[in-house]
Structure formats: C-alpha cells, structure tokens
Amino acid sequence: MLHLHALAKHYAETPVFSHVDLEARSGEFIAILGESGVGKSTLLNCIAGLDEANGGSVELDGVNVFQLGEEARARWRREKLGFVFQAFHVLPHLSVSQNIALPLLLLQRPDPARVKHMLDVVGLQGFDERLPRTLSGGQLQRVAIARALVHKPALLLADEPTGNLDPGTAERVLTLLLDQARAEGAICLLVTHSQSAAARADRALRLTATGFEPVARLTA
Ligand SMILES: Nc1ncnc2c1ncn2[C@@H]1O[C@H](COP(=O)(O)OP(=O)(O)OP(=O)(O)O)[C@@H](O)[C@H]1O
C-alpha cells in the first residue's frame, strides 16, 4: 500500500501544492493529470525522496519514507522504486543488457536470468549487446521499462513516459508498461497529458494546488 498524507511543497515563497492525499494498493494503476506547472513532476520527486516535501508523509508498505535517514532512504529508493521518464535516461555507454542489469547491480543482486527475462518481455531479444545510440525512441523506452521493473519494485513512477513517442509507439509502450507493472504487482503512478493513456488507468486524478481531484471516467 502507498499512503500519501497531506503532502505539501513550496519553493521559497512560491507554493506548489498542499493537501495531497492518496491511498493506492498493489497492482493499482493511477493516472495523474494536471495543468503544466501544477507540480506533477515535483510530486513524483517528493514521493521518491529526491526532493524535500515541506509537510505531510509518504508511507509505502508500512515504511514512513521521511523518517528514514539519507542512506536508508537511498537504499529504500533503490530497492522499492522504479522510474521511467520522458527522456528515457538510458546510460549511453552501457549496452542494453547492462542498462537493464544496473538496478540489480546497485542492490548487489546480479541476476542474468532475470535480465534476460526482462529483455524477452519487452521484446528486445537479441539486443543485449547493442548500445543505446543504435536504438529507436520506442526501443529505448522499452529498455527503460525493463530497467524500471527488473528488481520488482513496489512502486513505479512514470513521468510522461510516452511523451516523446509517435502515437502508435506510445500506445504499444504504454500497454507494455501497464501489463508489466500489473504482472509484477507494482503500484504505478503515471503522470500524463494524454487522455487516452489516462483512460487506461484504474483511476485518474487531477493534481491541483490544493490536492487531488477525481477525474470522471475517461474513454480511450
Ligand atoms: N528547483 C526548483 N526551484 C524553484 N521552482 C521549481 C523548481 N522545480 C520546479 N519548480 C516550479 O514548481 C512548479 C511545478 O513544476 P513541475 O515541473 O513539477 O510541474 P509539472 O506539473 O510537472 O509541469 P509539466 O506538466 O509542464 O511538466 C513550477 O512552477 C516550476 O517552475
């Protein structure tokens, strides 16, 4: 379970959001909508402990993240979270399989069979040794999805992961992301501007300056 309770963030004198509350269960897929600049990326960063919230709490499977020290929080992030970003963030000098293996290496849990499994599920069999610069945008995002899920995170944070892809590729990448997150039982928070992506979610919420508002059922 993920619990956000009264999460609040401001930069100096500039308020971003307050009163952000959420309860999400394992395997649930939640789309987060909201106007540009309302703080969607900032919210994901606060949940991940990459940015300091100014109030409230984040609790994942009974662990209150803000009560962890810096080192414990970094370990928690490595173990429990997966990230997918719009700009892929695949490391250019590492091969496809090395990129996917990275979270397991950081956890000192190398597992070549799991890496191979992830290559298969994202449809990149035979791409093991390829360097990122030889891949298309859709293929790069599939590498990023495999890397985000290889260590079986409890929470997957996806920030406009299909924003750089053409509509057909975006649809296929989104399906892959959802199917795999559900198969692994991860909670998925998807920040998106795409109504059709939001329509695929179990729930869609709109972030406002004063918290989440439910979004009426969308159709794809
Ligand atoms: N490090 C920072 N220092 C000061 N202000 C910041 C910082 N990071 C973000 N902001 C501000 O916080 C607000 C929220 O930004 P954020 O990127 O989270 O919005 P967003 O909803 O993700 O936007 P978009 O949909 O355009 O990506 C913006 O007004 C932004 O200018």
Side-chain angles (χ1 to χ4, degrees), residues 11 16 34-43 160 193:
Y11 288 109
V16 183
E35 282 172 29
S36 182
V38 76
K40 303 179 296 297
S41 299
T42 303
L43 176 64
E160 296 190 43
H193 287 286

Side-chain angles (χ1 to χ4, degrees), residues 85-158:
F85 302 95
Q86 180 170 3
F88 315 133
H89 292 213
V90 171
L91 296 179
H93 303 297
L94 297 183
S95 69
V96 164
S97 59
Q98 285 171 329
N99 264 287
I100 297 173
L102 203 56
L104 294 170
L105 291 188
L106 291 172
L107 288 166
Q108 298 178 316
R109 279 186 350 223
D111 186 347
R114 173 76 180 162
V115 173
K116 184 168 180 323
H117 171 74
M118 293 311 295
L119 271 166
D120 287 350
V121 294
V122 299
L124 291 176
Q125 306 88 328
F127 280 68
D128 315 41
E129 302 305 326
R130 294 268 291 267
L131 285 173
R133 66 179 148 73
T134 71
L135 270 57
S136 71
Q139 289 166 339
L140 285 173
Q141 201 56 311
R142 286 192 272 152
V143 174
I145 291 168
R147 184 187 53 190
L149 290 168
V150 71
H151 54 305
K152 305 188 178 183
L155 176 60
L156 179 67
L157 301 176

Side-chain angles (χ1 to χ4, degrees), residues 16-20 33-35 38-40 205-213:
V16 183
F17 52 73
S18 62
H19 301 94
V20 175
L33 303 166
E35 282 172 29
V38 76
K40 303 179 296 297
L205 300 170
R206 177 169 289 107
L207 184 63
T208 74
T210 51
F212 280 130
E213 288 174 352

